[in-house]
Structures are given as structure tokens and as C-alpha cells.
Amino acid sequence: MFEHLTAQKPDGILMLMQMYREDPREAKVDLGVGVYKDATGNTPVMRAIKAAEQKLWEVQDTKSYVGLAGAPDFNDAMVNLVLGNTVPRSSVNSVATPGGTGAVRQAFELIRMANADARIFVSNPTWPNHLSILDYLGMEKFMYRYFDDETRGVDFDGMIADLKTAKKGDVILLHGCCHNPTGANLTGPQWDEVIKVLNDTGATPMIDIAYQGFGDGLDADAAGTRAVAAAVPECLIAASCSKNFGIYRERTGILMLVANGTDKAIAQGTLNFLNRQNYSFPPDHGARLVTMILNDDALRTDWMAELEEMRTGMLDLRERLAKELEQRSGSNRFGFIAQHRGMFSRLGAAPELVVKMREDSGIYMVGDSRMNIAGLNAETVPVLADAIVKAGV
Ligand SMILES: Cc1ncc(COP(=O)(O)O)c(C=O)c1O
């Protein structure tokens, strides 16, 4: 029977990683894959994670199953981290999931269970996995305008006009912060306008927050998510710990269903059911480390300090790059790079220029010209600036 399988579309980013590895040139710059890197190109294990792992090794005396929804103290700690004190806990239901991707997948399945005809409004562009999971699940998607190719900021008028066509029973998927792949984000007043559209249309928001702490800080990055959760009758939040705790391979995430009008036993029970059907108990190792860090003053302080170093380091790289480009181009047209937030910026270069930069200068960025800013360091910023100007972007 397996002879009937057909080839799957190759993953563009994984192909790019392969090309980078096979490129024999010394001077090459990897801005492709979406993991944080320090100035030496390493993706570090954060200090607080190391300390928590050591402690865990000493105190953990069983690896037996935890709970279907995950460990309650993990869920509580994450609900606090993402939502602060904006929403009454009685309205929050949650399950731990394998990474943010697991949370996104479970959220889509939950939506399909509740309304098989729901249309999912996704930003154009969005994280490609949103699209491929929706296609795989056979769910209808509607791309709303988001990125303005001219300004490299948010096309907010276009976005609002498109969101207004949503109706009750539809879902509007928003990036909580640090939009992937563009780096262009909503301002506070823009979040308020989106909330108004949500309430006017009755559409349900789903927020994917995978980079809390990478943009403007832990609380600032969650502000839009918190404002939405506090202002609408129901919403879904998919959060990832992969980036802000640097535990990519531990697969740690959480799905929250904030619902006021829903029977709590049914809401929580359905989340548990979905976990049971898909993978039964969610992974615990990463979740345990996150819980230990968030619930211990010293570990939490150190984690926040290191996260802040990472965040400000990326901001510094953004500013340097924008400045180098201003000097070389004699214009301020690359100023958007310093305005964007998070790990990514969409440069807005045509696909043939992306290829040209790779071939001529060894710069590896995703085909849509998404650059991982964390892939730069003080030495490679001028190299990239040269390549961008040389290619005629
Ligand atoms: C927008 C967005 N959502 C979710 C995720 C999920 O990440 P993970 O499954 O590794 O936690 C990512 C990771 O790249 C992302 O960029």
C-alpha cells in the first residue's frame, strides 16, 4: 500500500540549511533557520536551564506519567507568564503540548471539533506551518493583508478591512509578538482596533505567541495577547517555550482556552481528550525545567537577565545593520530593520536577489527574504550590508 504515497513538498528552510552546510566558502552567513544564536553562532543552553537540570537530576525520583493536561504547576506558571493577572483563572483551561507547534495543532483540531466550517484568518504572510497544518487538516483558510511591501511595516488598513469580513464561527489567528516571518508588529492602539473588530464580528481570536521576551520585553510582548484575552468572551492562545527558554528539542508548549460562557468541565475535558488522542501524555522534561525556573526567585531572575541579554543583543544588531545600510545606500529606506522586533525581519527583496546574495556573497536567507537577525554578529553585519547594497535591494 505504501507505494501509493506521493512525495511531500520539501521544507524550504531545511533545504536551505543543507545548502549552507554544503557550501565550502569560509565567509558564509546563515540567516535561515529560526533558532537564536549568540555572537559565536552557538545556540546556548541557558544558565537557568542548566541549573534547573542539575537540580532536577538530584531530586527527581520517578519518571512515571504526569497528567493528561500536563503538570498543573507548569500550566499555572505559564498562564501567569503569558496572561499576567488580566484574566480570572476560573475562565482559563489549558493543556501542555509538545512545543508551540503541538499547541497550534491542538488548537486547530479543537476549532474543527467546535465548528467544522470555521474559516481560519491567517496573516499574509505567516509562519508556513500554520498554512500546512491547516491544509493537512482540510480546514479553510483566508489570508488577510498584513505586510506592506512598500513600507515593510503592517498594512493596517488592509488588515482591518479584511478582518471585518470575518463572522461568528470564524477564527482570526494573530501573532502575539515578533511576527514570523516579517518582524512587523501591531502597536498598542492597533491591538485595540483589532479587539473592536473581534467584538463587532464575533469571530474568535487565536493567538500564537512563540517569542515572548524577544521583542520589547516579557510583559510588553504579552500586552496584545492580554488585552485580547481580557476583552473578548473566548480566545485560544498557543505559547511556545522553545525560544525564550532555549529548549527547542525538549518540545515544551501550552494551549490555553480562555472561555467565559463554556462549561469548564467540557472545555478542559475536550483539551484533555485531544491530548489523549494525539499523543496521550505531553512531554514533561522541558515543562519541569520551565516550572522550576518560573517558581524559584534566583533561577527566574537569572533566566530573565539572560533573556534580556539576548533581546538587547538582537536590538543592537538591528540598529547596527540599519546604520551600515544607511551609510552605504545614502538613504533611510532600511530604517525598518531597527523598527522590527523579534528574531526576524523581512527584507522585502525579490526572490532573484535572495539567490544573488547567496551566490555572490554567501548570504543564506529564506526565499521570501526573511532574515534571522540572531544569525548576525558584529563582523557579519557589514558583510550583509555590503551584500544587500551590491545586489541592488
Ligand atoms: C510563529 C511560530 N509559532 C509557533 C512556533 C513553534 O515552535 P516550537 O514548536 O518549536 O515550540 C514557531 C517556531 O518557529 C513560530 O515561529
Side-chain angles (χ1 to χ4, degrees), residues 34 98-104 126-127 129-130 175 177-181 208-211 238-243 247-249 251-253 343-344 370:
T101 310
V104 166
T126 191
W127 183 45
N129 246 12
H130 287 152
H175 293 227
C177 63
C178 307
H179 186 269
N180 180 7
D208 182 0
I209 179 158
Y211 300 91
S240 167
C241 301
S242 300
K243 325 278 160 148
I247 48 171
Y248 304 82
R249 65 174 68 165
R251 312 310 299 134
T252 309
M343 216 153 63
F344 306 116
R370 183 192 84 170

PDB file of all heavy atoms in Angstrom, residues 34 98-104 126-127 129-130 175 177-181 208-211 238-243 247-249 251-253 343-344 370, ligand 1:
ATOM      1  N   GLY A  34      15.243  29.337  12.100  1.00  0.00           N
ATOM      2  CA  GLY A  34      14.738  30.214  13.161  1.00  0.00           C
ATOM      3  C   GLY A  34      15.128  29.805  14.569  1.00  0.00           C
ATOM      4  O   GLY A  34      14.260  29.566  15.407  1.00  0.00           O
ATOM      5  N   PRO A  98       3.471  19.285  23.039  1.00  0.00           N
ATOM      6  CA  PRO A  98       4.847  19.194  22.543  1.00  0.00           C
ATOM      7  C   PRO A  98       5.186  20.453  21.731  1.00  0.00           C
ATOM      8  O   PRO A  98       4.863  20.543  20.544  1.00  0.00           O
ATOM      9  CB  PRO A  98       4.831  17.953  21.650  1.00  0.00           C
ATOM     10  CG  PRO A  98       3.514  17.290  21.874  1.00  0.00           C
ATOM     11  CD  PRO A  98       2.574  18.347  22.349  1.00  0.00           C
ATOM     12  N   GLY A  99       5.753  21.426  22.392  1.00  0.00           N
ATOM     13  CA  GLY A  99       6.160  22.669  21.725  1.00  0.00           C
ATOM     14  C   GLY A  99       4.977  23.542  21.362  1.00  0.00           C
ATOM     15  O   GLY A  99       3.800  23.194  21.584  1.00  0.00           O
ATOM     16  N   GLY A 100       5.294  24.699  20.797  1.00  0.00           N
ATOM     17  CA  GLY A 100       4.248  25.594  20.312  1.00  0.00           C
ATOM     18  C   GLY A 100       3.519  24.983  19.124  1.00  0.00           C
ATOM     19  O   GLY A 100       2.324  25.201  18.928  1.00  0.00           O
ATOM     20  N   THR A 101       4.229  24.188  18.329  1.00  0.00           N
ATOM     21  CA  THR A 101       3.589  23.550  17.178  1.00  0.00           C
ATOM     22  C   THR A 101       2.477  22.616  17.645  1.00  0.00           C
ATOM     23  O   THR A 101       1.396  22.575  17.056  1.00  0.00           O
ATOM     24  CB  THR A 101       4.620  22.745  16.358  1.00  0.00           C
ATOM     25  OG1 THR A 101       5.741  23.577  16.094  1.00  0.00           O
ATOM     26  CG2 THR A 101       4.037  22.265  15.050  1.00  0.00           C
ATOM     27  N   GLY A 102       2.752  21.868  18.723  1.00  0.00           N
ATOM     28  CA  GLY A 102       1.727  20.981  19.271  1.00  0.00           C
ATOM     29  C   GLY A 102       0.507  21.781  19.703  1.00  0.00           C
ATOM     30  O   GLY A 102      -0.634  21.362  19.496  1.00  0.00           O
ATOM     31  N   ALA A 103       0.746  22.946  20.295  1.00  0.00           N
ATOM     32  CA  ALA A 103      -0.367  23.786  20.758  1.00  0.00           C
ATOM     33  C   ALA A 103      -1.178  24.307  19.567  1.00  0.00           C
ATOM     34  O   ALA A 103      -2.411  24.330  19.594  1.00  0.00           O
ATOM     35  CB  ALA A 103       0.178  24.945  21.591  1.00  0.00           C
ATOM     36  N   VAL A 104      -0.468  24.708  18.507  1.00  0.00           N
ATOM     37  CA  VAL A 104      -1.152  25.211  17.309  1.00  0.00           C
ATOM     38  C   VAL A 104      -2.002  24.094  16.701  1.00  0.00           C
ATOM     39  O   VAL A 104      -3.175  24.271  16.368  1.00  0.00           O
ATOM     40  CB  VAL A 104      -0.113  25.736  16.281  1.00  0.00           C
ATOM     41  CG1 VAL A 104      -0.737  25.940  14.914  1.00  0.00           C
ATOM     42  CG2 VAL A 104       0.523  27.028  16.789  1.00  0.00           C
ATOM     43  N   THR A 126       2.479  34.377   6.851  1.00  0.00           N
ATOM     44  CA  THR A 126       2.529  33.863   8.218  1.00  0.00           C
ATOM     45  C   THR A 126       3.563  32.748   8.293  1.00  0.00           C
ATOM     46  O   THR A 126       4.218  32.417   7.294  1.00  0.00           O
ATOM     47  CB  THR A 126       1.143  33.373   8.666  1.00  0.00           C
ATOM     48  OG1 THR A 126       1.177  33.110  10.075  1.00  0.00           O
ATOM     49  CG2 THR A 126       0.715  32.095   7.951  1.00  0.00           C
ATOM     50  N   TRP A 127       3.728  32.199   9.486  1.00  0.00           N
ATOM     51  CA  TRP A 127       4.625  31.043   9.671  1.00  0.00           C
ATOM     52  C   TRP A 127       4.102  29.923   8.771  1.00  0.00           C
ATOM     53  O   TRP A 127       2.919  29.559   8.880  1.00  0.00           O
ATOM     54  CB  TRP A 127       4.574  30.647  11.154  1.00  0.00           C
ATOM     55  CG  TRP A 127       5.475  29.547  11.564  1.00  0.00           C
ATOM     56  CD1 TRP A 127       6.779  29.371  11.243  1.00  0.00           C
ATOM     57  CD2 TRP A 127       5.113  28.453  12.440  1.00  0.00           C
ATOM     58  NE1 TRP A 127       7.270  28.253  11.863  1.00  0.00           N
ATOM     59  CE2 TRP A 127       6.266  27.674  12.595  1.00  0.00           C
ATOM     60  CE3 TRP A 127       3.952  28.076  13.095  1.00  0.00           C
ATOM     61  CZ2 TRP A 127       6.287  26.531  13.390  1.00  0.00           C
ATOM     62  CZ3 TRP A 127       3.969  26.946  13.882  1.00  0.00           C
ATOM     63  CH2 TRP A 127       5.130  26.175  14.032  1.00  0.00           C
ATOM     64  N   ASN A 129       4.107  26.833   8.718  1.00  0.00           N
ATOM     65  CA  ASN A 129       3.473  25.680   9.359  1.00  0.00           C
ATOM     66  C   ASN A 129       1.991  25.917   9.652  1.00  0.00           C
ATOM     67  O   ASN A 129       1.211  24.972   9.675  1.00  0.00           O
ATOM     68  CB  ASN A 129       4.192  25.343  10.670  1.00  0.00           C
ATOM     69  CG  ASN A 129       4.890  24.001  10.600  1.00  0.00           C
ATOM     70  OD1 ASN A 129       5.026  23.429   9.529  1.00  0.00           O
ATOM     71  ND2 ASN A 129       5.310  23.501  11.748  1.00  0.00           N
ATOM     72  N   HIS A 130       1.608  27.183   9.898  1.00  0.00           N
ATOM     73  CA  HIS A 130       0.178  27.452  10.086  1.00  0.00           C
ATOM     74  C   HIS A 130      -0.580  26.958   8.859  1.00  0.00           C
ATOM     75  O   HIS A 130      -1.602  26.285   8.966  1.00  0.00           O
ATOM     76  CB  HIS A 130      -0.083  28.963  10.233  1.00  0.00           C
ATOM     77  CG  HIS A 130       0.364  29.539  11.543  1.00  0.00           C
ATOM     78  ND1 HIS A 130       0.752  30.853  11.675  1.00  0.00           N
ATOM     79  CD2 HIS A 130       0.460  29.007  12.781  1.00  0.00           C
ATOM     80  CE1 HIS A 130       1.077  31.097  12.934  1.00  0.00           C
ATOM     81  NE2 HIS A 130       0.909  29.992  13.625  1.00  0.00           N
ATOM     82  N   HIS A 175      -0.386  36.839  15.583  1.00  0.00           N
ATOM     83  CA  HIS A 175       0.897  36.555  16.249  1.00  0.00           C
ATOM     84  C   HIS A 175       0.966  37.465  17.473  1.00  0.00           C
ATOM     85  O   HIS A 175       0.806  38.686  17.346  1.00  0.00           O
ATOM     86  CB  HIS A 175       2.066  36.858  15.317  1.00  0.00           C
ATOM     87  CG  HIS A 175       2.139  35.945  14.129  1.00  0.00           C
ATOM     88  ND1 HIS A 175       3.312  35.341  13.728  1.00  0.00           N
ATOM     89  CD2 HIS A 175       1.196  35.520  13.255  1.00  0.00           C
ATOM     90  CE1 HIS A 175       3.087  34.593  12.654  1.00  0.00           C
ATOM     91  NE2 HIS A 175       1.798  34.692  12.355  1.00  0.00           N
ATOM     92  N   CYS A 177       3.428  38.493  19.292  1.00  0.00           N
ATOM     93  CA  CYS A 177       4.520  39.476  19.176  1.00  0.00           C
ATOM     94  C   CYS A 177       5.516  38.925  18.164  1.00  0.00           C
ATOM     95  O   CYS A 177       5.408  37.776  17.749  1.00  0.00           O
ATOM     96  CB  CYS A 177       5.214  39.681  20.527  1.00  0.00           C
ATOM     97  SG  CYS A 177       6.014  38.187  21.160  1.00  0.00           S
ATOM     98  N   CYS A 178       6.486  39.743  17.791  1.00  0.00           N
ATOM     99  CA  CYS A 178       7.624  39.266  16.982  1.00  0.00           C
ATOM    100  C   CYS A 178       7.162  38.440  15.781  1.00  0.00           C
ATOM    101  O   CYS A 178       7.522  37.269  15.621  1.00  0.00           O
ATOM    102  CB  CYS A 178       8.567  38.439  17.848  1.00  0.00           C
ATOM    103  SG  CYS A 178       9.106  39.249  19.353  1.00  0.00           S
ATOM    104  N   HIS A 179       6.337  39.071  14.953  1.00  0.00           N
ATOM    105  CA  HIS A 179       5.693  38.364  13.841  1.00  0.00           C
ATOM    106  C   HIS A 179       6.709  37.585  12.993  1.00  0.00           C
ATOM    107  O   HIS A 179       7.732  38.138  12.588  1.00  0.00           O
ATOM    108  CB  HIS A 179       4.961  39.394  12.960  1.00  0.00           C
ATOM    109  CG  HIS A 179       4.147  38.783  11.870  1.00  0.00           C
ATOM    110  ND1 HIS A 179       4.658  38.539  10.618  1.00  0.00           N
ATOM    111  CD2 HIS A 179       2.863  38.343  11.840  1.00  0.00           C
ATOM    112  CE1 HIS A 179       3.712  37.993   9.856  1.00  0.00           C
ATOM    113  NE2 HIS A 179       2.611  37.875  10.583  1.00  0.00           N
ATOM    114  N   ASN A 180       6.396  36.338  12.761  1.00  0.00           N
ATOM    115  CA  ASN A 180       7.222  35.478  11.916  1.00  0.00           C
ATOM    116  C   ASN A 180       6.474  35.250  10.608  1.00  0.00           C
ATOM    117  O   ASN A 180       5.383  34.712  10.647  1.00  0.00           O
ATOM    118  CB  ASN A 180       7.456  34.140  12.637  1.00  0.00           C
ATOM    119  CG  ASN A 180       8.315  33.176  11.825  1.00  0.00           C
ATOM    120  OD1 ASN A 180       8.849  33.523  10.782  1.00  0.00           O
ATOM    121  ND2 ASN A 180       8.444  31.966  12.316  1.00  0.00           N
ATOM    122  N   PRO A 181       6.966  35.638   9.460  1.00  0.00           N
ATOM    123  CA  PRO A 181       8.363  35.944   9.152  1.00  0.00           C
ATOM    124  C   PRO A 181       8.713  37.430   9.009  1.00  0.00           C
ATOM    125  O   PRO A 181       9.840  37.717   8.593  1.00  0.00           O
ATOM    126  CB  PRO A 181       8.507  35.311   7.763  1.00  0.00           C
ATOM    127  CG  PRO A 181       7.183  35.585   7.104  1.00  0.00           C
ATOM    128  CD  PRO A 181       6.161  35.492   8.227  1.00  0.00           C
ATOM    129  N   ASP A 208      -0.941  33.093  18.577  1.00  0.00           N
ATOM    130  CA  ASP A 208       0.250  32.241  18.612  1.00  0.00           C
ATOM    131  C   ASP A 208       1.375  33.115  19.156  1.00  0.00           C
ATOM    132  O   ASP A 208       1.777  34.095  18.520  1.00  0.00           O
ATOM    133  CB  ASP A 208       0.563  31.762  17.187  1.00  0.00           C
ATOM    134  CG  ASP A 208       1.763  30.834  17.150  1.00  0.00           C
ATOM    135  OD1 ASP A 208       2.357  30.565  18.216  1.00  0.00           O
ATOM    136  OD2 ASP A 208       2.110  30.375  16.044  1.00  0.00           O
ATOM    137  N   ILE A 209       1.858  32.771  20.347  1.00  0.00           N
ATOM    138  CA  ILE A 209       2.935  33.588  20.947  1.00  0.00           C
ATOM    139  C   ILE A 209       4.156  32.681  21.177  1.00  0.00           C
ATOM    140  O   ILE A 209       4.176  31.866  22.088  1.00  0.00           O
ATOM    141  CB  ILE A 209       2.447  34.365  22.201  1.00  0.00           C
ATOM    142  CG1 ILE A 209       3.575  35.178  22.818  1.00  0.00           C
ATOM    143  CG2 ILE A 209       1.753  33.486  23.230  1.00  0.00           C
ATOM    144  CD1 ILE A 209       3.113  36.335  23.688  1.00  0.00           C
ATOM    145  N   ALA A 210       5.126  32.832  20.305  1.00  0.00           N
ATOM    146  CA  ALA A 210       6.280  31.924  20.317  1.00  0.00           C
ATOM    147  C   ALA A 210       7.580  32.639  20.687  1.00  0.00           C
ATOM    148  O   ALA A 210       8.619  31.989  20.806  1.00  0.00           O
ATOM    149  CB  ALA A 210       6.425  31.254  18.952  1.00  0.00           C
ATOM    150  N   TYR A 211       7.520  33.969  20.868  1.00  0.00           N
ATOM    151  CA  TYR A 211       8.770  34.717  21.080  1.00  0.00           C
ATOM    152  C   TYR A 211       8.643  35.719  22.225  1.00  0.00           C
ATOM    153  O   TYR A 211       9.256  36.799  22.177  1.00  0.00           O
ATOM    154  CB  TYR A 211       9.161  35.447  19.780  1.00  0.00           C
ATOM    155  CG  TYR A 211       9.384  34.494  18.623  1.00  0.00           C
ATOM    156  CD1 TYR A 211       8.337  34.156  17.773  1.00  0.00           C
ATOM    157  CD2 TYR A 211      10.632  33.915  18.413  1.00  0.00           C
ATOM    158  CE1 TYR A 211       8.522  33.253  16.731  1.00  0.00           C
ATOM    159  CE2 TYR A 211      10.827  33.019  17.368  1.00  0.00           C
ATOM    160  CZ  TYR A 211       9.775  32.695  16.537  1.00  0.00           C
ATOM    161  OH  TYR A 211       9.969  31.803  15.514  1.00  0.00           O
ATOM    162  N   ALA A 238      -1.773  29.814  21.918  1.00  0.00           N
ATOM    163  CA  ALA A 238      -0.762  28.765  21.778  1.00  0.00           C
ATOM    164  C   ALA A 238       0.582  29.398  22.118  1.00  0.00           C
ATOM    165  O   ALA A 238       1.009  30.336  21.443  1.00  0.00           O
ATOM    166  CB  ALA A 238      -0.749  28.222  20.352  1.00  0.00           C
ATOM    167  N   ALA A 239       1.230  28.915  23.168  1.00  0.00           N
ATOM    168  CA  ALA A 239       2.510  29.516  23.577  1.00  0.00           C
ATOM    169  C   ALA A 239       3.623  28.475  23.499  1.00  0.00           C
ATOM    170  O   ALA A 239       3.415  27.297  23.802  1.00  0.00           O
ATOM    171  CB  ALA A 239       2.400  30.081  24.997  1.00  0.00           C
ATOM    172  N   SER A 240       4.795  28.943  23.103  1.00  0.00           N
ATOM    173  CA  SER A 240       5.962  28.065  22.977  1.00  0.00           C
ATOM    174  C   SER A 240       7.030  28.479  23.983  1.00  0.00           C
ATOM    175  O   SER A 240       7.245  29.664  24.218  1.00  0.00           O
ATOM    176  CB  SER A 240       6.540  28.203  21.566  1.00  0.00           C
ATOM    177  OG  SER A 240       7.822  27.613  21.498  1.00  0.00           O
ATOM    178  N   CYS A 241       7.725  27.502  24.547  1.00  0.00           N
ATOM    179  CA  CYS A 241       8.876  27.801  25.422  1.00  0.00           C
ATOM    180  C   CYS A 241      10.192  27.539  24.686  1.00  0.00           C
ATOM    181  O   CYS A 241      11.264  27.648  25.282  1.00  0.00           O
ATOM    182  CB  CYS A 241       8.833  26.928  26.672  1.00  0.00           C
ATOM    183  SG  CYS A 241       7.340  27.119  27.652  1.00  0.00           S
ATOM    184  N   SER A 242      10.100  27.179  23.405  1.00  0.00           N
ATOM    185  CA  SER A 242      11.312  26.785  22.682  1.00  0.00           C
ATOM    186  C   SER A 242      12.339  27.899  22.626  1.00  0.00           C
ATOM    187  O   SER A 242      13.535  27.669  22.867  1.00  0.00           O
ATOM    188  CB  SER A 242      10.950  26.375  21.252  1.00  0.00           C
ATOM    189  OG  SER A 242      10.055  25.296  21.277  1.00  0.00           O
ATOM    190  N   LYS A 243      11.881  29.113  22.308  1.00  0.00           N
ATOM    191  CA  LYS A 243      12.831  30.201  22.062  1.00  0.00           C
ATOM    192  C   LYS A 243      13.218  30.906  23.357  1.00  0.00           C
ATOM    193  O   LYS A 243      14.398  31.137  23.613  1.00  0.00           O
ATOM    194  CB  LYS A 243      12.251  31.232  21.091  1.00  0.00           C
ATOM    195  CG  LYS A 243      11.370  30.663  20.009  1.00  0.00           C
ATOM    196  CD  LYS A 243      12.142  30.124  18.841  1.00  0.00           C
ATOM    197  CE  LYS A 243      11.273  29.144  18.059  1.00  0.00           C
ATOM    198  NZ  LYS A 243      11.490  29.072  16.667  1.00  0.00           N
ATOM    199  N   ILE A 247      14.830  25.852  24.760  1.00  0.00           N
ATOM    200  CA  ILE A 247      14.704  24.389  24.922  1.00  0.00           C
ATOM    201  C   ILE A 247      13.975  23.778  23.721  1.00  0.00           C
ATOM    202  O   ILE A 247      13.051  22.976  23.875  1.00  0.00           O
ATOM    203  CB  ILE A 247      14.001  24.030  26.253  1.00  0.00           C
ATOM    204  CG1 ILE A 247      12.712  24.855  26.446  1.00  0.00           C
ATOM    205  CG2 ILE A 247      14.940  24.226  27.425  1.00  0.00           C
ATOM    206  CD1 ILE A 247      11.870  24.389  27.628  1.00  0.00           C
ATOM    207  N   TYR A 248      14.451  24.155  22.550  1.00  0.00           N
ATOM    208  CA  TYR A 248      13.834  23.752  21.288  1.00  0.00           C
ATOM    209  C   TYR A 248      13.515  22.246  21.241  1.00  0.00           C
ATOM    210  O   TYR A 248      12.418  21.844  20.914  1.00  0.00           O
ATOM    211  CB  TYR A 248      14.770  24.105  20.121  1.00  0.00           C
ATOM    212  CG  TYR A 248      15.150  25.572  20.092  1.00  0.00           C
ATOM    213  CD1 TYR A 248      16.170  26.074  20.897  1.00  0.00           C
ATOM    214  CD2 TYR A 248      14.487  26.454  19.259  1.00  0.00           C
ATOM    215  CE1 TYR A 248      16.506  27.411  20.878  1.00  0.00           C
ATOM    216  CE2 TYR A 248      14.814  27.803  19.223  1.00  0.00           C
ATOM    217  CZ  TYR A 248      15.828  28.273  20.045  1.00  0.00           C
ATOM    218  OH  TYR A 248      16.156  29.599  20.019  1.00  0.00           O
ATOM    219  N   ARG A 249      14.516  21.436  21.567  1.00  0.00           N
ATOM    220  CA  ARG A 249      14.338  19.998  21.361  1.00  0.00           C
ATOM    221  C   ARG A 249      13.570  19.321  22.492  1.00  0.00           C
ATOM    222  O   ARG A 249      13.237  18.140  22.376  1.00  0.00           O
ATOM    223  CB  ARG A 249      15.696  19.313  21.163  1.00  0.00           C
ATOM    224  CG  ARG A 249      16.590  19.354  22.360  1.00  0.00           C
ATOM    225  CD  ARG A 249      17.842  18.543  22.158  1.00  0.00           C
ATOM    226  NE  ARG A 249      18.745  19.101  21.149  1.00  0.00           N
ATOM    227  CZ  ARG A 249      20.009  18.736  21.016  1.00  0.00           C
ATOM    228  NH1 ARG A 249      20.521  17.812  21.806  1.00  0.00           N
ATOM    229  NH2 ARG A 249      20.773  19.284  20.100  1.00  0.00           N
ATOM    230  N   ARG A 251      10.599  20.162  23.391  1.00  0.00           N
ATOM    231  CA  ARG A 251       9.203  20.210  22.957  1.00  0.00           C
ATOM    232  C   ARG A 251       8.292  20.621  24.108  1.00  0.00           C
ATOM    233  O   ARG A 251       7.597  19.790  24.707  1.00  0.00           O
ATOM    234  CB  ARG A 251       8.766  18.862  22.344  1.00  0.00           C
ATOM    235  CG  ARG A 251       9.719  18.294  21.314  1.00  0.00           C
ATOM    236  CD  ARG A 251      10.115  19.297  20.239  1.00  0.00           C
ATOM    237  NE  ARG A 251       9.005  19.803  19.464  1.00  0.00           N
ATOM    238  CZ  ARG A 251       8.843  21.093  19.188  1.00  0.00           C
ATOM    239  NH1 ARG A 251       9.714  22.004  19.609  1.00  0.00           N
ATOM    240  NH2 ARG A 251       7.828  21.491  18.482  1.00  0.00           N
ATOM    241  N   THR A 252       8.303  21.900  24.403  1.00  0.00           N
ATOM    242  CA  THR A 252       7.559  22.439  25.535  1.00  0.00           C
ATOM    243  C   THR A 252       6.666  23.584  25.085  1.00  0.00           C
ATOM    244  O   THR A 252       7.148  24.585  24.557  1.00  0.00           O
ATOM    245  CB  THR A 252       8.561  22.942  26.607  1.00  0.00           C
ATOM    246  OG1 THR A 252       9.494  21.883  26.872  1.00  0.00           O
ATOM    247  CG2 THR A 252       7.842  23.324  27.887  1.00  0.00           C
ATOM    248  N   GLY A 253       5.394  23.420  25.297  1.00  0.00           N
ATOM    249  CA  GLY A 253       4.439  24.466  24.930  1.00  0.00           C
ATOM    250  C   GLY A 253       3.140  24.263  25.675  1.00  0.00           C
ATOM    251  O   GLY A 253       2.979  23.310  26.444  1.00  0.00           O
ATOM    252  N   MET A 343      13.132  37.974  16.271  1.00  0.00           N
ATOM    253  CA  MET A 343      14.308  37.388  15.648  1.00  0.00           C
ATOM    254  C   MET A 343      14.366  37.679  14.142  1.00  0.00           C
ATOM    255  O   MET A 343      15.423  37.635  13.539  1.00  0.00           O
ATOM    256  CB  MET A 343      14.252  35.872  15.884  1.00  0.00           C
ATOM    257  CG  MET A 343      15.599  35.266  16.117  1.00  0.00           C
ATOM    258  SD  MET A 343      15.516  33.795  17.108  1.00  0.00           S
ATOM    259  CE  MET A 343      14.561  32.698  16.142  1.00  0.00           C
ATOM    260  N   PHE A 344      13.186  37.984  13.558  1.00  0.00           N
ATOM    261  CA  PHE A 344      13.142  38.069  12.099  1.00  0.00           C
ATOM    262  C   PHE A 344      12.875  39.463  11.565  1.00  0.00           C
ATOM    263  O   PHE A 344      12.244  40.278  12.231  1.00  0.00           O
ATOM    264  CB  PHE A 344      12.050  37.135  11.561  1.00  0.00           C
ATOM    265  CG  PHE A 344      12.195  35.727  12.045  1.00  0.00           C
ATOM    266  CD1 PHE A 344      11.220  35.157  12.842  1.00  0.00           C
ATOM    267  CD2 PHE A 344      13.317  34.982  11.731  1.00  0.00           C
ATOM    268  CE1 PHE A 344      11.356  33.861  13.309  1.00  0.00           C
ATOM    269  CE2 PHE A 344      13.470  33.687  12.193  1.00  0.00           C
ATOM    270  CZ  PHE A 344      12.477  33.122  12.988  1.00  0.00           C
ATOM    271  N   ARG A 370      13.249  36.514   4.407  1.00  0.00           N
ATOM    272  CA  ARG A 370      13.255  36.573   5.872  1.00  0.00           C
ATOM    273  C   ARG A 370      14.683  36.372   6.361  1.00  0.00           C
ATOM    274  O   ARG A 370      15.345  35.405   5.999  1.00  0.00           O
ATOM    275  CB  ARG A 370      12.359  35.475   6.466  1.00  0.00           C
ATOM    276  CG  ARG A 370      12.286  35.551   7.988  1.00  0.00           C
ATOM    277  CD  ARG A 370      11.654  34.321   8.610  1.00  0.00           C
ATOM    278  NE  ARG A 370      12.607  33.236   8.790  1.00  0.00           N
ATOM    279  CZ  ARG A 370      12.357  32.125   9.474  1.00  0.00           C
ATOM    280  NH1 ARG A 370      11.154  31.938  10.015  1.00  0.00           N
ATOM    281  NH2 ARG A 370      13.270  31.177   9.605  1.00  0.00           N
TER     282      ARG A 370
HETATM  283  C1  LIG B   1       5.038  31.694  14.828  1.00  0.00           C
HETATM  284  C2  LIG B   1       5.501  30.420  15.452  1.00  0.00           C
HETATM  285  N1  LIG B   1       4.629  29.670  16.122  1.00  0.00           N
HETATM  286  C3  LIG B   1       4.980  28.532  16.713  1.00  0.00           C
HETATM  287  C4  LIG B   1       6.271  28.067  16.642  1.00  0.00           C
HETATM  288  C5  LIG B   1       6.527  26.768  17.328  1.00  0.00           C
HETATM  289  O1  LIG B   1       7.730  26.458  17.797  1.00  0.00           O
HETATM  290  P1  LIG B   1       8.032  25.106  18.578  1.00  0.00           P
HETATM  291  O2  LIG B   1       7.069  24.056  18.109  1.00  0.00           O
HETATM  292  O3  LIG B   1       9.433  24.782  18.224  1.00  0.00           O
HETATM  293  O4  LIG B   1       7.828  25.393  20.028  1.00  0.00           O
HETATM  294  C6  LIG B   1       7.228  28.789  15.915  1.00  0.00           C
HETATM  295  C7  LIG B   1       8.602  28.310  15.743  1.00  0.00           C
HETATM  296  O5  LIG B   1       9.287  28.570  14.813  1.00  0.00           O
HETATM  297  C8  LIG B   1       6.824  30.004  15.327  1.00  0.00           C
HETATM  298  O6  LIG B   1       7.682  30.767  14.642  1.00  0.00           O
END
